[in-house]
Amino acid sequence: MAGHSKWSKVKRSKGALDVKRGMLFAKLSKEIMVAARLGGGNPSANHRLRAAIQSARAQSMPNDNIERAIKKGSGESGSAAVEEMVYEAYAPGGVALLIEAATDNKNRTAADLRSIFSKKHGSLGGPGSVAYLFHRKGQINIPLAAAPEDRVLEILLEAGAEELSSDEEHHIITTPPDQLYAVAEAIREAGLEPDSQKLIYIPENTVSVTDPDTAAQVLRLCDALEECDDVLHVHANFDISDEILASLQDN
């Protein structure tokens, strides 16, 4: 997980992660559709939908796109229902993957994933094959510049969060999954605006990948999965050292 996060930042810094805006909006739309399908189209009564809308607006997604996604998810537009799927898989080096997807055609999505794994040296696993290696958590990111760490900690002590850490850009708050939205609302009521709030999977333990060739294969597989239209999030339990990441960046 830590390695995957670091690699994403390396790609951003070198300009290799030039995600097309249309692809980004498509994934955000599917998040909104799934939330609306599961909890209804009223953001006031649907915490997950409200969070998905906030994430979309943070990426400057037009309101028309947001409204269309809500209508599709809640069935108002008559479009095919979008379902939420979680796939379990393996990457080279014994790395475990959990892949969250949203699709209106399960057969198409499964075929696309099988093709990616076949080309990128991975394999799909059966239900329960790797899920036990991960814990479901809530994660909230607040820009470092928004407040000092002690101020954020003061807010969280009353809000029910589990952990606070920081990287180069954000305060990262971990919560129990059922407390994500309550903690995020407490943060907003205190005058801070999160960059993002989402449910994630955190690995119980990480797998150290020390061979550069294997590390490159793992990262290429994760990149290909993230570029799949139906994939929303890829969670992995690998850890790759800064030295190996730097060597891969230079290649």
Side-chain angles (χ1 to χ4, degrees), residues 70-235:
I70 293 172
K71 288 179 179 179
K72 286 181 181 179
S74 59
E76 292 181 42
S77 66
S79 303
V82 174
E83 296 184 68
E84 189 175 33
M85 308 288 294
V86 177
Y87 296 89
E88 302 177 47
Y90 299 95
V95 170
L97 303 174
L98 276 183
I99 303 151
E100 293 183 271
T103 180
D104 58 5
N105 187 324
K106 291 187 286 186
N107 291 335
R108 180 198 66 224
T109 303
D112 288 348
L113 292 180
R114 282 195 295 270
S115 176
I116 292 170
F117 282 110
S118 175
K119 294 174 181 177
K120 300 296 183 181
H121 310 288
S123 61
L124 280 168
S129 57
V130 303
Y132 70 96
L133 298 172
F134 294 81
H135 298 297
R136 192 65 157 163
K137 295 290 183 181
Q139 186 182 81
I140 303 166
N141 289 345
I142 300 174
L144 281 182
E149 185 173 295
D150 57 352
R151 167 64 176 145
V152 177
L153 184 59
E154 179 184 342
I155 297 168
L156 298 182
L157 287 174
E158 300 295 327
E162 285 186 344
E163 184 179 349
L164 172 64
S165 60
S166 300
D167 62 15
E168 299 90 344
E169 299 174 359
H170 292 95
H171 300 297
I172 303 167
I173 298 145
T174 304
T175 76
D178 60 348
Q179 293 296 309
L180 169 64
Y181 306 110
V183 173
E185 286 304 307
I187 290 169
R188 289 189 175 90
E189 288 172 5
L192 303 180
E193 185 60 38
D195 267 358
S196 67
Q197 61 184 77
K198 57 188 175 182
L199 291 167
I200 62 170
Y201 287 97
I202 295 179
E204 184 172 350
N205 297 294
T206 56
V207 173
S208 180
V209 180
T210 57
D211 176 65
D213 291 336
T214 302
Q217 288 182 337
V218 171
L219 296 172
R220 282 195 292 265
L221 172 58
C222 288
D223 288 346
L225 290 168
E226 289 176 343
E227 290 169 5
C228 177
D229 288 344
D230 292 334
V231 171
L232 298 177
H233 307 290
V234 179
H235 308 279

Side-chain angles (χ1 to χ4, degrees), residues 1 5 8 165 239 249:
M1 191 71 178
S5 176
S8 295
S165 60
D239 186 21
Q249 180 184 5

